[in-house]
Every structure is written in structure tokens, then in C-alpha cells.
Amino acid sequence: MYNVRVVAYLELRLVFIIYTCKYIVQSNPFVDGYQHVEMEGNVLGSVLWIANNCLVSCPVIFNISIREEHLMAEKMKLLIAAVTVVSLSVLAGGQAEAAEAAGVDPRGQVLAFSCASCHGTDGKSVSIIPSFYGKSPEYLETALMDFKSGKRYSTVMMRHAKGYTDEEIRLIAQYYGTVWQTNN
Amino acid sequence: MNQKISRRDFSKLLFAGAAGSALGLSALPGMGRAADRKRVVVVGGGFGGATAAKYLKKLDSSISVTLIEPKAVFYTCPFSNWVLGGLKTMEDIAQRYAVLKNRYKIDVVADTVVSIDALKSVVKLKSGKVFGYDRLIVSPGIDFSFEAINGYSRKAAEAQMPHAYEAGPQTVLLQKQLHAMKDGGKVIICPPDNPFRCPPGPYERASLIAHYLKEKKPKSKILILDAKDKFSKQGIFTKGWEKLYPGMIEWRGASTGGRVLKVDPAAMTVTTEFGDEKGDVVNVIPPQKAGKLAFDAGLVNSSGWCPVNPVSFESLIHPGVHVIGDACMAGAMPKSGFAASSQGKVTAAAIVRLFNGEVPAAPSLVNTCYSLIGPGYGVSVAAVYKLTAEGIVSIKGAGGLTPMDADDDQLSQEATFARGWYNNIAQDIWG
């Protein structure tokens, strides 16, 4: 279970948390609360706690809690929170693996949805823009990698493909290379 | 042990331990009632809302999705400038909800939301109907700060000086005025300062009005009085104007006499720091803010826009309420129909995962804006976005503009792809 995917999810949480903390700091009513978090001397625990809440439901609760001064008062609670969050993250990694085993990678899906805005739902174009419904993962991966490297010319795809890592391109190709098989 | 249940248990432990009973846990949306059919209410049938509704159903047809939109026909802002240029009709930019209703089994309700109670998780409609939800998606679009321009008002927009920045009757009014104008007349366009919907919009508008005038009223001029000192795709627009409409379009930036101080709709004059300008047609695009519903529901902060969690677009003010599209603060993403639709997909995917007790995938967002400078002269700006500690940022080295040295073939291809894009995104959202 402790694999790259788990790390990726943890990373997402941490990135989001830093973002949220910054937001909270920028929102005046919560500045004191944020400082309070730091004074607890368990920044990591706090950050992980927020990470969990932000993704599960909302930083709002965090905000309200600070305002109400019901939260962050006892280090013990933070410790429980931190342990909980780490457990949840590992769980999330496991679930991602389970989902992938079932055929659809959630990250691949989210990445791939972007393509449909120009190429049509599931890559079925109703216009002059090329359709890629029914193409194989190998074909799609090669095409995207060639757009990325500039080997293949396109007015706009060369600009888009550079926005994705090779791994993300593989996930996108995998999604569209199999979605038509699922539909059939 | 079932992972989903253990996740809930962890959450309960967390809340019980950390937050105590001060927060009504049962009021949290998306938790509890695991066996029930999940309900999502989507408010607004534009680019953001309609996409979210369709993709929710596409991802999990067991979710009950209600789409509340008062208008039977949605006229898209994208391509409304093409209507002004005489290249498309209003019917060409009309989108309807029959496919979402019949094929995707979305409950499309033609009504207006009068209030959102985020604590009780219910929305109330004008008709008196009340809908409960597990998650609410609000895609209210923009509203105009008419009062920000001295002398301007909603009434003035509907009578003399249309903004035409919500497609529909406003587009038709501006088109009628252009048709009624004499050859040799002057069209004044007043774009607002950032942030506003569709950053290249006013300049595509100037281009396509110029196309119409060049064909029908070639002695006419266009004057752009801008509240900014630079604008989206400025280099390529300026180059296109020089090539296609030499001497026809004049642009004045904010510090060179472009800033509008007041307007007089009766006299059809616009006052700038450098004096008065009289127009035969005056298109005032006022500063903007989140749609009225976002204000009524308390989803906006002091900026006039809605802060959201960039993973799921859940409001940072009201839990269980997601805000997408022009109304939300989506970091580096512009306020565009494409961006709204991209956000709708990310939100739909995040909600489905939250319903299943799973962590949403890291968001991936995209924007591509095509602008037509002439019928066979298209340009675009593209960007791919990711989430970092700075929020949603555009990925460096990717995206960007049509190159300044693009040849005629590329410009013509982009114009063709612009048309293709419209058909496909409309299909992806409403079809």
C-alpha cells in the first residue's frame, strides 16, 4: 500500500492545505486562529488535520471552530487528528488502487475529461475537430507524445500536450483507449 | 473491514474528538444516509452548471440530479459576437435542455431559486417548491455593477447603451442598433477592468463589428475606450486589425484617455479624462461581480466573487455548496465558458468520489479561448492548470497564444477549429 500513489495523495493534501492556510491568513477574522495553530507547536499535525477536513468536507468547519475557540486547544486532539489523517491517506491510496483494478483511474478520468471540451464527449467529435473515439491507448499515447515533442504539428495540441507529464499522457491515453470498449 | 465505513468512523472520531458537539455533525452534507440515493441540485444551466449535471449522471447514473434553470433557451456568450458580425444567427447560439432531460435523466426544473439554506441543505424556488440536497452546485454566472459607471444603469443598458455581455435580448438590441446606424457612424465599446467574463470578448466583438461595418458601412469607425492599459491577446488582435480593418479600430488604454468617468445615455456620450466622445452606438460593458444568487446566499467574500476549495470547488464559506464558473475564484483561470465547463467536470468527479467516501483526484483544468478577428482569421489562447500551494496556476511552458508570426494557413485553420470547438463543446455540455 505504501506506494507512489499514496505519496501523490498525501502531496495533494499538503498542497491544498498550504493553500488553505494561506487563504485563512489572508482572511482577517482568522489570522489569530492561524497563529494559534502555530503556537500549538504541532504544525504538521494541524496541517494534516486541515488537509483531511478540507478534502472530506470543508475548511469552513476549521474556520468556524477557530472562531468559536472550541478547537486546537489541546495537543492531544491534534495528535488524534494527525494519526487519523495519515490513516485516511493510506486508505485513500488503497482505494485508488482498488478503483484502478476495476478499470478506471480517477486521476486519468479527471485529466481526460478536459479533452472532451474540444473533441466531444468520450472523444466523439461532431465537427471538423478530429474524433479519437475507438483509438487504441498506444495510438493516443504516441500522438500526444508527438504533439508534446513538436514532432507532430497542430495549431493548438502542441500547446496543450506540453501541459502534461509523460505519466499523465499515459493515463489520458489509457482512459480514451478503453472508454469506448466499456461503452460497447 | 469495509474501507468506506472505516473512513466515516475515522471522520466521526475526528469530529467528536476535535470539534465536540458545537458542530452539528448530522448537518454535514455528503455524510450519513449512505444507503440512500444521493441528491445533487445544480443551479444554473449555463456552461458550468449543465456540464456538472451531465457529468454527474455520466459518472454515476444512480445519483439524483436536479438542474434548476429559469430559461428554456440558453444563448451562449461564446459566438454571440459572431451574431453581431452577421456570421451566425441567434438560433445558432441557442442551447436547450431536452437531451439532458431525456437521455441523461436529469430533472430539469424551469424555476428560479429564491433562497439557499446551507445549514438545512435546502433550496427554495419561486414557485414555492423546496428541494433538499446532499450537495449543491451553484453556477450563477455574473452580475453587473451598473452603479460603477456614473450615469449608467440597467435601464440604460436595456434602452440606449446595451452591454450585450449576457447573450440574448441584449445581443439582439446591440445588433439592431448596428443595423440601424448610418454609414460613417461611430461605434464606441467600453470594456471593463479585470477581472471580468471572457477577457478577449470585447476585442473579438470590435473585430466582428468591424467585419460587419467593412461589408455594409465601410466609412464607419470603432473606438474602444478601455479601463485597462493592456488586454488579452493584444498583440495578435492589433496585428489582425491592421491587416483586415486598417484605420477602422482605435483603441485607447486607461492612462491614455480610455477610462470612462461617466456616460449620458440620452445624449449618447461617454466622458473620459480627456473629454467627451459621442457615439452612434455605445456598448458599455460594466464591471462585474458574482451572480446575484451568490450574494443572496452569502457565498461571496469582499472581492465580490466566491472563494472555493480548488480540489472540489466547494465553497470556503458554506459547506456542501460548490460554486463553479464565472462566479468563483479559480486562481489563474479566466472567467470563460470553457473554464466553467472544465470546473463543472472536476466538481462532478470530486462529488462522486466524496459520496463514495473517497478522496477526490487532484484536479486538472484546461481553458482554450478562440477569438475570430475575421471570418477566416482565428486566434486562440490556451492553458493547462494544476493545483499548487499558490492555488490553481497555469503550467509553465504549456499553452499560450497563437504565434505572432502565424501564417494565413494557421489563422484560417484556427478559424475553422473555432467553429468546430463551438459545436463540440455544445455537444459535450447540452448534447
Side-chain angles (χ1 to χ4, degrees), chain A residues 1 8 11-12 34 48 50 56 60 77 88 94-95 97 116 118 121 138:
Chain A
M1 261 207 240
E11 206 175 308
L12 168 67
Y34 179 71
L48 286 170
I50 308 162
V56 173
V60 183
K77 288 173 185 170
L88 286 175
Q95 285 173 346
E97 278 184 350
C118 289
T121 308
E138 295 74 28

Side-chain angles (χ1 to χ4, degrees), chain A residues 46-115:
Chain A
S46 312
V47 158
L48 286 170
W49 185 88
I50 308 162
N52 179 50
N53 283 283
C54 295
L55 290 172
V56 173
S57 191
C58 48
V60 183
I61 292 169
F62 174 71
N63 293 353
I64 293 168
S65 307
I66 288 170
R67 204 165 30 189
E68 303 284 325
E69 293 185 285
H70 287 147
L71 196 59
M72 302 295 168
E74 298 163 44
K75 283 183 183 176
M76 195 59 199
K77 288 173 185 170
L78 283 170
L79 190 64
I80 293 169
V83 170
T84 306
V85 172
V86 173
S87 314
L88 286 175
S89 302
V90 173
L91 202 58
Q95 285 173 346
E97 278 184 350
E100 196 169 25
V104 180
D105 181 281
R107 171 76 176 148
Q109 195 171 47
V110 164
L111 287 161
F113 279 170
S114 294
C115 313

Side-chain angles (χ1 to χ4, degrees), chain A residues 98-168:
Chain A
E100 196 169 25
V104 180
D105 181 281
R107 171 76 176 148
Q109 195 171 47
V110 164
L111 287 161
F113 279 170
S114 294
C115 313
S117 298
C118 289
H119 291 271
T121 308
D122 294 338
K124 262 189 226 176
S125 174
V126 295
S127 76
I128 192 158
I129 293 178
S131 205
F132 50 72
Y133 187 78
K135 301 275 195 231
S136 72
E138 295 74 28
Y139 171 88
L140 294 168
E141 188 173 352
T142 307
L144 286 167
M145 289 302 291
D146 287 351
F147 285 132
K148 186 179 172 179
S149 70
K151 188 174 158 192
R152 184 167 168 183
Y153 172 82
S154 159
T155 51
V156 82
M157 276 315 296
M158 290 160 77
R159 287 180 258 163
H160 276 295
K162 289 188 182 76
Y164 300 93
T165 64
D166 294 358
E167 169 63 8
E168 287 170 335

